[in-house]
Each structure stands twice: as C-alpha cells, then as structure tokens.
Amino acid sequence: MRQLLSSLLLLTITACAAAMPTSVASLLDRVGGSGTAKRFEVEIKAYNTDGYETFTISASNGKPCITATSLSAATAGIGYYLNHYARINISWNQLTADIAHADLPLPSEAETHTCEVPLRYYLNYCTFSYSMAVWTWERWQQEIDWMALHGVNMPLQVVGLDAAWRTLLTRHYGYTEEEVNEFVAGPAFQAWWAMNNLEGWGGPNPAWWYDRQQLLAQRIVQRERELGMSPVLPGFSGMVPSSFERCATTLPQGTWCGFQRPHILDPNSETFATMAAQYYAVMDSLYGAAAFYSIDPFHEGANISGIDVPAAYHSIDQTLQQAHPEARWVIQYWQWQQRQYEVLRQVPHGRLIVLDLFADANPHWSEFEGHDVVYCMLHNFGGRTGFYGRMPQTIERYAEVRDNAPSLCGVGATPEAIETVPAVYDLLYELPWIGATDAASWLREYVHCRYGKADASAIAAWELLLGSALDCRSKLQGPVEAVTCARPRWHIDRVSTWGGTTIFYNDSLVAQAAELLRQANLSGANYSYDLTDLTRQAITDRAYRLMAEIERSANPAAGVDCPKALQDSLKSIILSLNRMLQSQPLFTLDRWLSMAGSIANEAVSDGLLPAESLASAREWLQLNALTLITTWGPRAASERGGLHDYSYRQWAGMLKDFYLPRWQLFFDTPLNLRDSIDWFEYESEVVKRMIRTQP
C-alpha cells in the first residue's frame, strides 16, 4: 500500500516555514471563526516516513505548528492538536467553536504520529438517506470539515448520482423526464436506489431537484479534493431501469423488502460495455474522474439465477479499467451469497478494495483471498437512537487485522447514520495514528479532550460506561432498541425487524454513570449533550423494565388488561423524555423537518426553484423525511417487508406526536380489538398531519 502514497524525501521536520495551504486556512476559519488560521502555522513537507503519512505538532513563532506529509495528515494533525492540547473536541453536537479567541497551548516538545494505513474511509450508502437526506450545502461543509479533522481521505460520495442518470437516460436512450422519475428514487430513499434495491419510491422528483443535486455534488467533491481527499464515486454495475428491457436484454433481480428491484444488463452484451462507457463519460463531465469507484452488484439478496456472475464481475472490472485504468474498485462485504465471492477471482489483486463493513462485530477479512481490505466499524443501523458501542472490541479487532492481514490498507467508519455517540468515531479514527491502545486509558484522556478538563466524576462515569453500554460483544445491529418507540403490543422484543430490546449490559451502571456525569463540575455544549444522552438512555432502560411489568400484569386471553397506573407510568416516561430532549437540537424532530424544508429554501436562493413553488417543495421534502423514519415504504414494504420503524428516532416531537399517540390508541382500544388495529393506515395519516406548513 506504500506505493499509494507519494515518495517522501526529507528526514526530519524542524519548524514551519512555508505558507499555509489556502484550503487549510479556510478550514480553520470555518471551524474556529474568522482569524483562527492566523493563530496556527501549517506546512506540508515531504520527508521519509517509510511510505506512510505523518504529522508533527510543535511550536513555531509563538504559534502551534503542524507539519505534515499530506493535506489529510495536516488536517488530522490539527484535529489531534485541538483535542489533546487545546482540549477542544469538534463533534456533531458542536461542529464549530470559538478557537479564534481560545487558549492555544504551545507544545513543549515536538510530537509526531505516523499513520499505520494509507486509507481512512468514511460513510455508507445508507448514511446519505438516514442522515444526509435533509442536508443543505451549509451542513455538508461542516461534515467535510469534520472529516478533515478526523483524517478521512477516502469518503464515499453518492450525491448527484440521480442527476448523472437523468443525463445518461435522456441523452442516450430517449427517456423522458417522467420515465426517469419512474426509476430514480425520491430524496430520502436514494441510498437504496443507488444500491440496486428499489425504483422510484419517494418521487417523482421535480426538475429543480436534479439541478440542485448536481450543483451540490460539484460543491462537495470540490471541497473534498481541496482538503486532500479522494471521493469514492458510484461506478457502473450494470443496473438499469426495469423499463430498459425496451432498449436491451435485461435480467430481473427480484424484489427487496417488497420493492421491485431495478434490472441488470446482460454482462456479456454489447450494451453493457457501451452503456458503461457512456456512464463514466457523464460522471466525468459532471464530477471529474475519481481514483475510487464503489460498485456493489447483487446487494442484499438480489436474484442471481440465470446471471453469469463471473462474467458480470469481469465486465464491471473491464469497463471500469477502460474508462479509468488507474482507478480502484471499492466493494462492500455485506451478506454475500456464495457466488458473490467470485469477484475475488475475477478482479486482479491491486484493483479491488474490500470494505469489511461490520468488522468490529462480525469480521470476514480472512476470506478475501489476499485482496486489499479496509477494517470498518458499522456502529449505527437506521439512525436508531441509543447509547452503545464496542470500544474494547473495536481496538482488539483492529489490532488483530493489522497484525495478521498484510493486505490491510485502511480503516473506515461505515454507519448507516451518524450524529450518535461521537466517542466511538473519535476512537476509530485515532487508532491508526496512535496504534492499538488501552480503551480505559484512551477514555480517560478523551474525557479531558471532550470537556476541557479531567473531571474525576466524569472519568468515573465513562469508566462505568466502558464496562456496560460501550462493551457490546454480540452482533447486535445497532443499539438496544427503545420500547417507547415500538408499535404497541404485549410482548416487545424488538422495535425494528432486525433489532432487539434486550439490554445486554447492567443498566444500573448506565444509571449510575448518568448520575456521576450530572454531579461533575463541568459545563459546555459537549457536556450538556452527553448528559442529555446518558439520562435519556437511563430513562429508556427504565421503560424496558416497566414494559416487562406491563406484560406480566396483563392476560389478554382472559380479558385482563394491565393496570391503568402502569399505562400512565409509560406515558409519563414518554412525555418526560420529550421535554428533556427538546434542549438538544440533535434529539428533535423540529431540526429534521426544518433541515428538510431548508433544501427548498436553498434551491430558491440558488435560482433553481421559483419562489411560488417553495411551499409545495417543502411539504414534499418533509413527507420524504417523515416517511423514512416511520412507515418507510408503502404497505407491502412497511408490513410484509418489515421496514416500518427501522429508522425510529427517539426525538422530542416524535415522542409526543407519533409514539405517545400510538400507545394511547392501543390502551384506549378495547382489549379484544387491539390486535386488529391497522397500524400502517393510522401511521400514514399521522405523518401527513406532522408536516409543517410554515417555515
């Protein structure tokens, strides 16, 4: 992997001398406020580190000085300095800080860190829906800055794929805008369209939407490249609309959770090669050529009967190489069928990078036959709210793959959604710079970084968490689920189809941790957020115990309901959570809907959307955003496909306006009729009422 990096020449770093790169200066001023860049010295130097990126933190001219071998190493060094010297932790709950006026300690001696891997990957297709579907350019800029400070140099970038397909289909295959919209999904569901799982759901998309996506994508890739990142763009897998059979021989791929999948082209056909060349030409013209292309054919159980699977992988590789001979194919390992392992034999070594997507819980890196592998942490599923992690295991499994897999080329975070439990991401992206560390020691230092001082009570709280909620050892997909957010029924063992409500830790330790953190002599945005999150988790765990008591007290078959006092206790917990969470924007429905509506405002400002269409556009965007976190799909997908509540959010607003009324309806319905409630119909009507008609 060393050949991936530039050859490095000089032997040592002494002091910063050259001018700070403009992109780094702009980053500092965005994150820290105007004037922050003038308080630092940053220089990119080439020097011998045996082929790996390095940053050194020192003092020069009375300022903190970061000298590094690449832009990405420099920004990672800035992030390290902010955390470990200035004690300023940039996090999703605090994406900017007043660094322009903060105390910036000078290192007493130089501190150097060399990264153990060349690639630091970030994101999952699902993140672009479960978190990013409601983002404007303003929020995207903050996330790219967060990436830079965490050393990310290989971010997935899916935004704008819809605009590329519109161009491809209308320019080369005679599709109308209406026909394109039958294929392309709406704003909140593009992740699964891009992964060949569904067509059209959430649309139709108006013309301004495609123009907006194209502009946004161009802004994103430009900024990422300015900061030394190599965006991973979607490659051509052979996916085509199911209606494309009028143009060429196509092969159906069945259904996914009740949705019809797009078709795939016959990999041996001339059309496959022709369309691939056209696809890459369109992508290049819109977003520039990339060093990495993400391609995931046959994702999550696609029907591959009748498909020449080896030929498909060979065609995908060959058409990518013809378009971009130096590019690498990036593929996710996720629930592969046996024949999907054929990709390992059809693509030469050095051209394929396998993301071991859930390696922190369920590693498969030993199965990849020597192909380059990225060790990935898949922390969140569906954006579901909950405090948990695998801190000790994340470190242990990173050390295992580092020491035993010569083909390890990177680490990555691949969450389905972000903006939860920032500590686990801070740990992951520090690991390759500091090496496998002791979780307890790292957390003690993290408390100091996170809150600005090493408060004994806060340290004790996090130590309890490390021995409980942050030490998941199972393959649980996402956090312990909140019974308050479940569709009401007597026995609740899960909220989403693939999750679970059983608490894997000693919940009394989480309650004690919340109380210890409350007692800490601390203040600030990070402290307030963490205290809210831990208190929320402790109360949610109490609701789990209450729900078990409700279940034990009732005997529906004998006509015995649970006592009203227990019903009232559950409703009281839901309302208490709703009141508490209102203080933190990341835990509110208002923020989610406001951001969705702001996309339309931004489109008006960019001259893409007429002002008279603003109200209807905002309502459409909010309907997408609300559907995603409630019913998810139409009846077949929501019910038989099991997608309802997959993306539940324990947020203020959702608790009061969606989850509490569900429980109220359940308890108010006669005992013998509760099993016959049409929850999908009820929830669909509630969602319509939740749309904000005013900005």
Side-chain angles (χ1 to χ4, degrees):
M1 279 65 69
R2 299 177 188 181
Q3 66 268 28
L4 295 176
L5 308 175
S6 303
S7 59
L8 307 169
L9 305 175
L10 302 180
L11 294 176
T12 59
I13 295 177
T14 53
C16 300
M20 181 186 302
T22 302
S23 61
V24 176
S26 298
L27 163 74
L28 282 165
D29 283 345
R30 283 192 303 271
V31 172
S34 178
T36 301
K38 295 177 181 178
R39 303 192 64 197
F40 286 81
E41 292 194 357
V42 179
E43 184 179 3
I44 311 301
K45 275 189 176 181
Y47 61 104
N48 182 21
T49 57
D50 213 17
Y52 289 105
E53 291 166 283
T54 291
F55 65 76
T56 295
I57 298 172
S58 61
S60 176
N61 299 318
K63 302 176 182 179
C65 172
I66 290 87
T67 310
T69 60
S70 69
L71 272 172
S72 182
T75 58
I78 293 169
Y80 189 91
Y81 170 83
L82 290 175
N83 275 306
H84 296 280
Y85 288 85
R87 306 299 181 182
I88 297 171
N89 179 249
I90 299 299
S91 172
W92 289 308
N93 61 277
Q94 179 183 252
L95 287 163
T96 60
D98 185 10
I99 303 171
H101 302 98
D103 179 36
L104 299 181
L106 298 179
S108 58
E109 59 183 12
E111 180 177 356
T112 297
H113 291 274
T114 298
C115 196
E116 296 177 334
V117 292
L119 302 176
R120 280 88 63 191
Y121 182 83
Y122 185 47
L123 297 174
N124 181 314
Y125 276 83
C126 297
T127 330
F128 287 83
S129 286
Y130 286 133
S131 290
M132 297 165 167
V134 299
W135 286 10
T136 60
W137 171 231
E138 178 184 9
R139 179 63 184 87
W140 262 107
Q141 290 188 82
Q142 294 173 330
E143 192 66 20
I144 296 169
D145 290 345
W146 182 97
M147 294 181 205
L149 295 176
H150 286 77
V152 171
N153 63 0
M154 187 188 178
L156 181 64
Q157 206 312 88
V158 182
V159 175
L161 180 61
D162 47 0
W165 271 98
R166 177 182 67 164
T167 299
L168 176 66
L169 291 172
T170 56
R171 178 182 297 171
H172 295 289
Y173 296 97
Y175 269 60
T176 65
E177 296 280 345
E178 291 75 18
E179 290 168 332
V180 169
N181 276 329
E182 292 173 1
F183 172 52
V184 178
F189 303 94
Q190 294 212 340
W192 301 278
W193 163 71
M195 290 188 289
N196 310 4
N197 294 146
L198 54 76
E199 295 183 302
W201 177 242
N205 302 320
W208 70 263
W209 170 260
Y210 293 97
D211 298 336
R212 179 262 181 186
Q213 290 289 90
Q214 180 175 312
L215 177 60
L216 178 60
Q218 290 167 345
R219 287 168 169 168
I220 291 169
V221 296
Q222 179 180 345
R223 179 63 55 79
E224 289 177 345
R225 288 166 177 155
E226 286 173 355
L227 288 168
M229 303 177 199
S230 293
V232 182
L233 299 183
F236 185 74
S237 66
M239 175 184 81
V240 290
S242 56
S243 61
F244 201 76
E245 57 192 356
R246 75 190 194 197
C247 304
T249 301
T250 66
L251 303 168
Q253 297 216 7
T255 61
W256 177 84
C257 294
F259 287 102
Q260 177 181 283
R261 291 177 178 267
H263 287 198
I264 188 171
L265 285 172
D266 180 347
N268 295 310
S269 69
E270 235 179 80
T271 307
F272 191 104
T274 299
M275 194 173 197
Q278 293 165 340
Y279 171 89
Y280 287 114
V282 169
M283 289 288 287
D284 291 355
S285 69
L286 296 178
Y287 313 124
F292 305 103
Y293 286 90
S294 174
I295 313 173
D296 291 283
F298 320 125
H299 180 258
E300 284 196 351
N303 176 22
I304 56 178
S305 62
I307 296 176
D308 187 340
V309 173
Y313 286 130
H314 179 76
S315 295
I316 290 168
D317 176 55
Q318 289 301 300
T319 52
L320 173 58
Q321 293 306 308
Q322 287 163 12
H324 297 293
E326 302 301 317
R328 307 285 299 276
W329 175 355
V330 179
I331 192 169
Q332 303 176 97
Y333 176 86
W334 180 250
Q335 298 179 356
W336 279 4
Q337 303 172 65
Q338 190 57 41
R339 292 177 68 193
Q340 288 179 265
Y341 284 86
E342 282 291 337
V343 69
L344 305 174
R345 293 174 279 280
Q346 294 300 320
V347 183
H349 286 80
R351 293 222 296 256
L352 185 71
I353 298 173
V354 185
L355 303 176
D356 196 0
L357 214 65
F358 199 19
D360 60 319
N362 190 19
H364 288 266
W365 53 266
S366 62
E367 302 171 11
F368 301 149
E369 301 182 12
H371 283 280
D372 289 346
V373 60
V374 175
Y375 169 82
C376 296
M377 176 187 76
L378 207 176
H379 173 255
N380 185 275
F381 286 75
R384 302 196 290 273
T385 311
F387 186 93
Y388 94 113
R390 295 182 170 88
M391 274 193 169
Q393 187 166 281
T394 297
I395 296 170
E396 294 160 10
R397 291 199 163 155
Y398 168 71
E400 181 183 14
V401 65
R402 181 199 61 189
D403 296 342
N404 294 285
S407 60
L408 177 70
C409 67
V411 301
T414 53
E416 289 191 352
I418 55 173
E419 301 181 332
T420 64
V421 198
V424 300
Y425 297 86
D426 287 351
L427 170 65
L428 177 77
Y429 283 118
E430 275 201 3
L431 278 179
W433 295 99
I434 64 175
T437 184
D438 171 65
S441 300
W442 186 88
L443 261 181
R444 283 192 293 273
E445 170 67 5
Y446 176 77
V447 168
H448 198 173
C449 300
R450 180 78 171 156
Y451 306 130
K453 65 180 186 178
D455 182 272
S457 185
I459 290 171
W462 281 92
E463 287 174 343
L464 289 176
L465 295 171
L466 185 61
S468 55
L470 291 177
D471 193 20
C472 180
R473 296 279 173 168
S474 73
K475 298 175 185 177
L476 179 67
Q477 294 188 7
V480 172
E481 295 187 327
V483 295
T484 56
C485 304
R487 272 190 181 172
R489 54 192 183 276
W490 290 117
H491 176 63
I492 297 177
D493 63 347
R494 65 195 62 212
V495 179
S496 70
T497 300
W498 297 277
T501 57
T502 302
I503 299 175
F504 66 82
Y505 49 83
N506 182 342
D507 51 309
S508 69
L509 297 181
V510 172
Q512 291 174 48
E515 178 58 23
L516 282 168
L517 196 60
R518 188 189 67 80
Q519 295 172 6
N521 183 25
L522 295 170
S523 60
N526 289 344
Y527 172 68
S528 176
Y529 174 85
D530 290 347
L531 181 59
T532 300
D533 196 16
L534 284 185
T535 305
R536 178 207 52 75
Q537 190 61 54
I539 295 173
T540 300
D541 292 346
R542 194 161 76 234
Y544 173 80
R545 304 299 178 193
L546 174 62
M547 193 64 224
E549 191 177 350
I550 288 173
E551 181 182 345
R552 287 193 299 270
S553 70
N555 186 352
V560 178
D561 203 349
C562 65
K564 188 174 184 302
L566 293 180
Q567 300 176 21
D568 290 343
S569 293
L570 180 62
K571 290 184 282 187
S572 177
I573 284 177
I574 294 173
L575 286 173
S576 295
L577 284 166
N578 190 83
R579 283 192 298 271
M580 181 187 69
L581 294 176
Q582 286 174 337
S583 66
Q584 289 294 329
L586 287 179
F587 287 114
T588 64
L589 176 64
D590 278 347
R591 174 180 179 267
W592 180 251
L593 294 181
S594 175
M595 291 176 75
S598 292
I599 291 173
N601 296 353
E602 181 184 61
V604 171
S605 298
D606 287 333
L608 304 176
L609 174 67
E612 58 268 24
S613 301
L614 178 60
S616 60
R618 288 176 60 87
E619 290 183 17
W620 170 65
L621 290 160
Q622 289 181 69
L623 179 60
N624 259 258
L626 282 166
T627 300
L628 179 68
I629 63 176
T630 55
T631 58
W632 210 107
R635 185 180 290 274
S638 179
E639 308 307 296
R640 293 192 297 278
L643 290 173
H644 70 84
D645 293 308
Y646 182 82
S647 184
Y648 82 79
R649 309 296 169 102
Q650 197 180 32
W651 288 344
M654 285 298 295
L655 285 159
K656 179 174 70 70
D657 297 335
F658 189 80
Y659 302 125
L660 179 60
R662 277 203 309 202
W663 280 107
Q664 189 69 58
L665 174 62
F666 180 75
F667 289 133
D668 287 349
T669 299
L671 194 62
N672 64 328
L673 298 178
R674 290 179 189 174
D675 288 343
S676 62
I677 296 172
D678 185 341
W679 288 115
F680 178 80
E681 181 65 26
Y682 169 77
E683 292 159 0
S684 299
E685 290 303 313
V686 172
V687 162
K688 293 174 187 175
R689 295 196 296 270
M690 292 170 72
I691 293 172
R692 312 290 200 251
T693 57
Q694 297 297 322

